[in-house]
Amino acid sequence: MELDYLALLRSELTTFQDCLSDDLSVPIEHCGDWDLRDLAEHLGRGNLWAATAVRERRGDYEAPLAPDDIAPWFADTVRVLTSTLEIDPGTEAWTFAPPRTVAFWRRRRCLETLIHRWDAQHALVRPAELDATLCGDGIAEVIEVFVPRQVKKGRATPPAAAVRFTATDLGDSWVLGPGEPVAELTGTAADLLLALWGRRPMPWATLNGDHDAARAALRGPLVS
C-alpha cells in the first residue's frame, strides 16, 4: 500500500502540537536531558532545515533557536514545512540519502515526527497509538537509510550477519545485514520500530536463532 506521507505528516504534526498545550518542562525519557520544550525546538528546527533543503537545495542550513513562546513558533515551522512539501514529490532536493527528491523529505519528516510525537505523548502519559503500516515503513527506513549512514560515518561497524525482523501484526519482515538471516526477532511493528530507535528494549525474548551473532549485528548505534 502506498502511503500518503504528506497527509500522515500533517496528522503527526497536529498531534505533536496538541502536546505543547501541556507542561513543557516534562522530561523526555529517551532524549538525554531534554524536556518537552527542547523536543519541540528540535523538531521545529528540523522542519525548517528540511524546508530549506527543498527550497535552496542545501543541507548546511542551521535554523535559529526558538523564542520563549514556542507554540506559535512551532506552528509556523509546520506551515513552512508542509507548504514547501506540497510541490511535486519528484522535484529535486538536497537529501542525505536517496532519493534526491522532495519524496525523501515527505517520508523522513513523517517518520521523524512519528517518533517524537510518541516521545511527547509518552512523557505526558497520554495514549500513544502508532499506525502499524507506518511503523513498518519506519523499520524499512532504519535498515535502508540509517544503518548504512551510521556505518558510512564511522559510528557503527557493518553488521557481520543478517537478522530478520518480523512484524506479527503485518505479516511483513525486513532483513538487516548481509546474506541469509541467522536469527529472527518478532513483535508488533510499533514495538520493533521503537526498539530500533532505542525507545524500548530489543525484544530478545522473541529471538530465534544465533543470539550472539544477532546481538553483535545490532550493537549499533543503528540510528542518529
Side-chain angles (χ1 to χ4, degrees), residues 47-64:
N47 288 342
L48 298 177
W49 176 59
T52 302
V54 171
R55 289 187 279 105
E56 301 181 18
R57 297 182 186 176
R58 64 188 180 101
D60 60 352
Y61 175 74
E62 187 170 343

mmCIF file of all heavy atoms in Angstrom, residues 47-64:
data_model
loop_
_atom_site.group_PDB
_atom_site.id
_atom_site.type_symbol
_atom_site.label_atom_id
_atom_site.label_comp_id
_atom_site.label_asym_id
_atom_site.label_seq_id
_atom_site.Cartn_x
_atom_site.Cartn_y
_atom_site.Cartn_z
ATOM 1 N N ASN A 47 12.148 20.940 10.996
ATOM 2 C CA ASN A 47 11.176 21.304 9.962
ATOM 3 C C ASN A 47 11.747 22.380 9.037
ATOM 4 O O ASN A 47 11.630 22.296 7.805
ATOM 5 C CB ASN A 47 9.891 21.830 10.609
ATOM 6 C CG ASN A 47 9.069 20.746 11.281
ATOM 7 O OD1 ASN A 47 9.246 19.557 11.023
ATOM 8 N ND2 ASN A 47 8.164 21.156 12.155
ATOM 9 N N LEU A 48 12.366 23.390 9.634
ATOM 10 C CA LEU A 48 12.926 24.487 8.843
ATOM 11 C C LEU A 48 14.134 24.028 8.033
ATOM 12 O O LEU A 48 14.338 24.473 6.896
ATOM 13 C CB LEU A 48 13.304 25.645 9.768
ATOM 14 C CG LEU A 48 12.142 26.275 10.550
ATOM 15 C CD1 LEU A 48 12.663 27.356 11.488
ATOM 16 C CD2 LEU A 48 11.084 26.839 9.609
ATOM 17 N N TRP A 49 14.935 23.140 8.611
ATOM 18 C CA TRP A 49 16.092 22.589 7.892
ATOM 19 C C TRP A 49 15.644 21.814 6.662
ATOM 20 O O TRP A 49 16.183 21.991 5.562
ATOM 21 C CB TRP A 49 16.887 21.692 8.840
ATOM 22 C CG TRP A 49 18.047 20.992 8.203
ATOM 23 C CD1 TRP A 49 19.124 21.567 7.582
ATOM 24 C CD2 TRP A 49 18.259 19.576 8.130
ATOM 25 N NE1 TRP A 49 19.997 20.587 7.136
ATOM 26 C CE2 TRP A 49 19.490 19.365 7.458
ATOM 27 C CE3 TRP A 49 17.539 18.474 8.582
ATOM 28 C CZ2 TRP A 49 20.005 18.091 7.220
ATOM 29 C CZ3 TRP A 49 18.050 17.205 8.348
ATOM 30 C CH2 TRP A 49 19.271 17.020 7.673
ATOM 31 N N ALA A 50 14.631 20.967 6.824
ATOM 32 C CA ALA A 50 14.136 20.178 5.698
ATOM 33 C C ALA A 50 13.516 21.077 4.633
ATOM 34 O O ALA A 50 13.704 20.852 3.426
ATOM 35 C CB ALA A 50 13.121 19.148 6.185
ATOM 36 N N ALA A 51 12.779 22.094 5.060
ATOM 37 C CA ALA A 51 12.181 23.012 4.094
ATOM 38 C C ALA A 51 13.259 23.729 3.287
ATOM 39 O O ALA A 51 13.134 23.911 2.069
ATOM 40 C CB ALA A 51 11.291 24.026 4.815
ATOM 41 N N THR A 52 14.341 24.115 3.948
ATOM 42 C CA THR A 52 15.448 24.779 3.252
ATOM 43 C C THR A 52 16.155 23.814 2.308
ATOM 44 O O THR A 52 16.589 24.202 1.215
ATOM 45 C CB THR A 52 16.446 25.356 4.272
ATOM 46 O OG1 THR A 52 15.754 26.260 5.136
ATOM 47 C CG2 THR A 52 17.576 26.096 3.581
ATOM 48 N N ALA A 53 16.266 22.552 2.707
ATOM 49 C CA ALA A 53 16.883 21.542 1.839
ATOM 50 C C ALA A 53 16.116 21.409 0.531
ATOM 51 O O ALA A 53 16.701 21.129 -0.522
ATOM 52 C CB ALA A 53 16.934 20.198 2.556
ATOM 53 N N VAL A 54 14.817 21.629 0.592
ATOM 54 C CA VAL A 54 13.985 21.565 -0.612
ATOM 55 C C VAL A 54 14.067 22.876 -1.389
ATOM 56 O O VAL A 54 14.334 22.889 -2.597
ATOM 57 C CB VAL A 54 12.522 21.260 -0.240
ATOM 58 C CG1 VAL A 54 11.610 21.418 -1.461
ATOM 59 C CG2 VAL A 54 12.404 19.847 0.323
ATOM 60 N N ARG A 55 13.860 23.991 -0.703
ATOM 61 C CA ARG A 55 13.766 25.280 -1.397
ATOM 62 C C ARG A 55 15.111 25.754 -1.935
ATOM 63 O O ARG A 55 15.191 26.311 -3.030
ATOM 64 C CB ARG A 55 13.173 26.334 -0.459
ATOM 65 C CG ARG A 55 11.690 26.140 -0.174
ATOM 66 C CD ARG A 55 11.105 27.289 0.622
ATOM 67 N NE ARG A 55 11.386 27.152 2.048
ATOM 68 C CZ ARG A 55 12.295 27.858 2.713
ATOM 69 N NH1 ARG A 55 13.013 28.765 2.087
ATOM 70 N NH2 ARG A 55 12.477 27.679 4.004
ATOM 71 N N GLU A 56 16.185 25.522 -1.165
ATOM 72 C CA GLU A 56 17.503 26.038 -1.555
ATOM 73 C C GLU A 56 18.482 24.934 -1.945
ATOM 74 O O GLU A 56 19.622 25.219 -2.315
ATOM 75 C CB GLU A 56 18.077 26.878 -0.411
ATOM 76 C CG GLU A 56 17.195 28.063 -0.040
ATOM 77 C CD GLU A 56 17.783 28.911 1.077
ATOM 78 O OE1 GLU A 56 19.009 28.800 1.342
ATOM 79 O OE2 GLU A 56 17.019 29.686 1.691
ATOM 80 N N ARG A 57 18.053 23.687 -1.828
ATOM 81 C CA ARG A 57 18.861 22.522 -2.215
ATOM 82 C C ARG A 57 20.230 22.532 -1.528
ATOM 83 O O ARG A 57 21.269 22.357 -2.159
ATOM 84 C CB ARG A 57 19.024 22.455 -3.736
ATOM 85 C CG ARG A 57 17.707 22.265 -4.471
ATOM 86 C CD ARG A 57 17.902 22.156 -5.959
ATOM 87 N NE ARG A 57 16.626 22.106 -6.658
ATOM 88 C CZ ARG A 57 16.499 22.082 -7.982
ATOM 89 N NH1 ARG A 57 17.586 22.085 -8.745
ATOM 90 N NH2 ARG A 57 15.310 22.050 -8.541
ATOM 91 N N ARG A 58 20.203 22.714 -0.216
ATOM 92 C CA ARG A 58 21.435 22.661 0.568
ATOM 93 C C ARG A 58 21.133 22.074 1.934
ATOM 94 O O ARG A 58 20.015 22.178 2.443
ATOM 95 C CB ARG A 58 22.070 24.041 0.714
ATOM 96 C CG ARG A 58 21.246 25.070 1.490
ATOM 97 C CD ARG A 58 21.884 26.451 1.403
ATOM 98 N NE ARG A 58 21.152 27.478 2.124
ATOM 99 C CZ ARG A 58 21.496 27.934 3.331
ATOM 100 N NH1 ARG A 58 22.544 27.433 3.963
ATOM 101 N NH2 ARG A 58 20.794 28.890 3.907
ATOM 102 N N GLY A 59 22.150 21.446 2.532
ATOM 103 C CA GLY A 59 21.955 20.797 3.816
ATOM 104 C C GLY A 59 22.708 21.444 4.953
ATOM 105 O O GLY A 59 22.754 20.891 6.055
ATOM 106 N N ASP A 60 23.283 22.629 4.713
ATOM 107 C CA ASP A 60 24.098 23.277 5.738
ATOM 108 C C ASP A 60 23.351 24.368 6.498
ATOM 109 O O ASP A 60 23.951 25.128 7.258
ATOM 110 C CB ASP A 60 25.367 23.864 5.116
ATOM 111 C CG ASP A 60 25.070 24.902 4.033
ATOM 112 O OD1 ASP A 60 23.885 25.065 3.661
ATOM 113 O OD2 ASP A 60 26.029 25.540 3.549
ATOM 114 N N TYR A 61 22.049 24.441 6.297
ATOM 115 C CA TYR A 61 21.264 25.472 6.984
ATOM 116 C C TYR A 61 21.132 25.135 8.465
ATOM 117 O O TYR A 61 20.908 23.985 8.841
ATOM 118 C CB TYR A 61 19.874 25.577 6.359
ATOM 119 C CG TYR A 61 18.948 26.534 7.071
ATOM 120 C CD1 TYR A 61 19.115 27.908 6.959
ATOM 121 C CD2 TYR A 61 17.900 26.054 7.858
ATOM 122 C CE1 TYR A 61 18.258 28.790 7.611
ATOM 123 C CE2 TYR A 61 17.038 26.928 8.508
ATOM 124 C CZ TYR A 61 17.228 28.295 8.383
ATOM 125 O OH TYR A 61 16.379 29.165 9.033
ATOM 126 N N GLU A 62 21.276 26.133 9.306
ATOM 127 C CA GLU A 62 21.076 25.963 10.745
ATOM 128 C C GLU A 62 20.010 26.946 11.200
ATOM 129 O O GLU A 62 20.226 28.161 11.188
ATOM 130 C CB GLU A 62 22.378 26.190 11.512
ATOM 131 C CG GLU A 62 22.255 25.864 12.985
ATOM 132 C CD GLU A 62 23.593 25.853 13.699
ATOM 133 O OE1 GLU A 62 24.633 25.788 13.016
ATOM 134 O OE2 GLU A 62 23.592 25.912 14.943
ATOM 135 N N ALA A 63 18.867 26.426 11.568
ATOM 136 C CA ALA A 63 17.747 27.280 11.955
ATOM 137 C C ALA A 63 18.053 28.007 13.256
ATOM 138 O O ALA A 63 18.743 27.474 14.132
ATOM 139 C CB ALA A 63 16.482 26.441 12.113
ATOM 140 N N PRO A 64 17.543 29.219 13.414
ATOM 141 C CA PRO A 64 17.741 29.952 14.670
ATOM 142 C C PRO A 64 17.025 29.263 15.824
ATOM 143 O O PRO A 64 16.098 28.470 15.621
ATOM 144 C CB PRO A 64 17.133 31.323 14.373
ATOM 145 C CG PRO A 64 16.169 31.089 13.257
ATOM 146 C CD PRO A 64 16.758 29.992 12.429
#
